[in-house]
Amino acid sequence: MSDDDQYDEHDPHDQHDQHDEDGIRIPVGPSGDAPVEAVPYGGDDDEVKRVEAALYARIGEQSPEHRLTATRRAVELLGDPHLAYPVIHVTGTNGKTSTARTTESIVRAHGLRTGLMTSPHLVSIRERIVIDGQPIEPSRLVENWDDIAPVLELTDQELTAKGELPLTFFEALTVLALACFAEAPVDVAVIEVGMGGEWDSTNVVQSQVAVFTPIAIDHAKQLGSTVAEIARTKSGIIKPSSAVVSSEQVPEALVELERAAELTESTLAVEGTGFSVVDVTPAVGGQLITVQGIAGRYDDLFLPLFGRHQAHNAAVAIAAVESFLGRGTQALDEDVLSEGLAGATSPGRLQPIATDPTVVVDAAHNPHGAKALAEALPVAFPSEHVVGVVGILGDKDARGFVRALKGTVETFVVTQPPGERALDADAFAKVVVDEVGADRVVVEPSLAAALQQARDLADEADAEDALVLVAGSIVMVGAVMDLVHREGETK
């Protein structure tokens, strides 16, 4: 149930406008960044695809540049649109998309017009730029792109003249999002970091609140091989005299956040001491949570998201909004907070998408996310027999992922995600067999066939509550959601 860095799954050069062997449309990028009912299934129009093509022609998200100068120059030429609104900036290793989305929903419930930038996406690139709770309208996306395109070209020319690479995909996307928020206009923007923090292109913003979800090792090649190194990079989003809100962290990560907060003369509220989750009770369609915030206590709030980790994400979001609206000195109105939490969504995160048998998808793709999934699934969807459809990318910790799930999943149907970065199903199956035994493993490279086989196995299981779990790759989750959506359209 990872909401990890957007670079994990998106590779425009092998995903754009493709279909796999089963006819499943391969999403141009993964992740649920728009309300469930507003995920734009069915494809975007030609004009949006023109914008996508222009973005995807740039250096991909797998090769981020460790620089801010390029993005700063582009927004400077645009008249600094990112300074037109305050910002809540969110980073971390897992949980940041859900935390950003929940934060935005609470802020919007307070009557403020919001912008939300998250990555990656499940179906449409428009999910990455959300205005007032809805993916940006196609016409607004295209108009804003056409407005900024000449500036991006000028920036490219200046960069290449200095011997630097032109703006990357994510740098250009960041400029587009910041311009869209200014044009809307929004009262506040909640912006999720792409990767790391210090040199991430979103760090051109002047945030009032910096939010940190749990920090763990991932993207070691780009961020560092220790938690301390990664936390140091992520702490770079803290601006002078800002409010810093953090999930509970391992000691080596917390030390880095404390150091950065002290150097910037910022306040720091950490889960466990500055605020906390008091109680979590499973409920139909989600859970009831009681949270001790920075400024007030909030009892029995309904959160329509599953998993104890989502309760902790919600607590961080509440603390972030308390810090934004009243610098942590004024409690939030409980009715408004309840409205905001009730409207929170996190597509692709422990989300049921079909019945008979129940099919649940989750974006977990690293051991940390898989561990949270293993803890949350039995509480949210009690089952005596879980059939897992699993596929993973070649650069992920496949063994750690399987180890986290082997006590939860009874049978593993091993497949592979769409795209060239996928770990071959047979290669992945060897890892799974080594961990759980051959009698619990079925191999099916075709994603559609793997899903059907898992459904059949669940139907045949001697358990009335048998279910299918799809996890391991965000882009695979997006493809399965699209497949099931199309099934519903043909019925």
Side-chain angles (χ1 to χ4, degrees):
M1 127 164 9
S2 169
D3 289 326
D4 210 351
D5 297 315
Q6 44 92 8
Y7 300 93
D8 282 322
E9 304 280 350
H10 177 61
D11 188 345
H13 299 291
D14 65 35
Q15 292 178 20
H16 185 47
D17 287 342
Q18 295 185 28
H19 292 75
D20 73 2
E21 62 189 59
D22 305 304
I24 298 174
R25 186 184 61 73
I26 300 173
V28 293
S31 174
D33 303 322
V36 174
E37 67 278 5
V39 171
Y41 290 105
D44 284 311
D45 61 31
D46 289 342
E47 284 292 278
V48 172
K49 290 178 179 178
R50 173 172 65 84
V51 174
E52 288 178 343
L55 282 166
Y56 296 155
R58 295 178 173 275
I59 298 168
E61 291 176 286
Q62 292 302 313
S63 303
E65 287 294 298
H66 291 205
R67 65 186 185 187
L68 281 180
T69 52
T71 308
R72 279 193 180 128
R73 179 55 176 160
V75 293
E76 178 186 26
L77 291 171
L78 282 172
D80 292 327
H82 61 301
L83 302 181
Y85 41 81
V87 170
I88 300 173
H89 208 184
V90 184
T91 191
T93 301
N94 289 287
K96 58 185 168 58
T97 298
S98 295
T99 301
R101 292 174 60 83
T102 303
T103 300
E104 182 275 338
S105 186
I106 298 171
V107 171
R108 180 158 39 90
H110 282 80
L112 297 175
R113 184 171 173 81
T114 57
L116 172 68
M117 179 184 178
T118 55
S119 297
H121 59 269
L122 281 166
V123 176
S124 167
I125 198 167
R126 294 191 292 113
E127 298 167 45
R128 297 188 183 220
I129 304 173
V130 176
I131 307 292
D132 229 16
Q134 297 295 321
I136 189 169
E137 295 178 4
S139 61
R140 303 300 284 273
L141 179 77
V142 173
E143 288 171 9
N144 279 287
W145 174 258
D146 288 341
D147 284 343
I148 73 168
V151 167
L152 299 182
E153 292 175 9
L154 178 57
T155 306
D156 288 341
Q157 291 170 9
E158 292 183 354
L159 289 168
T160 54
K162 293 189 296 183
E164 297 183 32
L165 292 172
L167 292 164
T168 66
F169 172 94
F170 194 69
E171 287 172 335
L173 180 68
T174 298
V175 176
L176 175 60
L178 298 177
C180 288
F181 295 154
E183 188 271 339
V186 303
D187 297 316
V188 56
V190 180
I191 296 177
E192 177 188 342
V193 165
M195 182 184 288
E198 181 181 9
W199 41 258
D200 185 78
S201 61
T202 65
N203 204 30
V204 297
V205 302
Q206 293 299 311
S207 59
Q208 284 65 44
V209 180
V211 180
F212 295 84
T213 64
I215 298 171
I217 293 178
D218 206 4
H219 299 293
K221 183 178 178 181
Q222 294 93 348
L223 301 180
S225 58
T226 68
V227 171
E229 287 180 278
I230 294 170
R232 196 172 306 129
T233 298
K234 292 181 184 294
S235 71
I237 72 166
I238 300 175
K239 303 302 189 297
S241 301
S242 60
V244 182
V245 174
S246 175
S247 300
E248 185 175 356
Q249 303 286 356
V250 296
E252 53 267 44
L254 183 58
V255 165
E256 294 299 329
L257 299 187
E258 289 174 336
R259 178 194 60 81
E262 182 178 359
L263 288 173
T264 56
E265 298 183 334
S266 299
T267 61
L268 174 61
V270 180
E271 183 181 8
T273 54
F275 60 95
S276 62
V277 175
V278 177
D279 187 55
V280 179
T281 304
V284 176
Q287 52 194 318
L288 292 176
I289 65 173
T290 295
V291 173
Q292 175 60 57
I294 298 172
R297 177 182 166 116
Y298 313 99
D299 294 304
D300 295 328
L301 300 166
F302 178 68
L303 178 68
L305 304 175
F306 296 101
R308 192 175 185 89
H309 63 290
Q310 293 288 17
H312 289 281
N313 290 340
V316 173
I318 289 169
V321 177
E322 286 180 319
S323 297
F324 177 73
L325 293 179
R327 197 69 181 185
T329 63
Q330 299 176 4
L332 303 178
D333 181 281
E334 196 146 345
D335 290 338
V336 176
L337 175 58
S338 294
E339 178 186 342
L341 283 182
T345 60
S346 194
R349 275 79 180 178
L350 208 62
Q351 180 183 353
I353 61 170
T355 56
D356 300 322
T358 298
V359 177
V360 177
V361 297
D362 192 87
H365 54 262
N366 60 27
H368 188 280
K371 181 176 182 292
L373 170 59
E375 293 172 352
L377 186 70
V379 177
F381 301 95
S383 172
E384 295 179 358
H385 193 100
V386 177
V387 181
V389 177
V390 293
I392 202 165
L393 297 188
D395 60 350
K396 294 300 173 183
D397 182 357
R399 191 173 297 277
F401 175 83
V402 175
R403 283 178 178 171
L405 288 180
K406 66 181 182 181
T408 302
V409 174
E410 180 67 27
T411 304
F412 289 82
V413 179
V414 180
T415 187
Q416 59 194 57
E420 295 178 0
R421 294 178 57 220
L423 179 62
D424 177 78
D426 289 331
F428 187 25
K430 291 179 181 178
V431 176
V432 182
V433 168
D434 190 46
E435 287 293 327
V436 307
D439 58 329
R440 292 172 60 186
V441 179
V442 177
V443 185
E444 179 48 72
S446 162
L447 183 55
L451 178 61
Q452 186 56 56
Q453 188 156 15
R455 284 168 153 171
D456 292 342
L457 288 170
D459 284 336
E460 295 165 6
D462 187 20
E464 293 183 3
D465 56 2
L467 63 81
V468 174
L469 170 69
V470 181
S473 160
I474 301 174
V475 72
M476 187 174 75
V477 164
V480 168
M481 290 175 70
D482 194 57
L483 174 63
V484 171
H485 178 78
R486 290 193 291 113
E487 286 177 355
E489 288 184 331
T490 59
K491 290 181 179 179

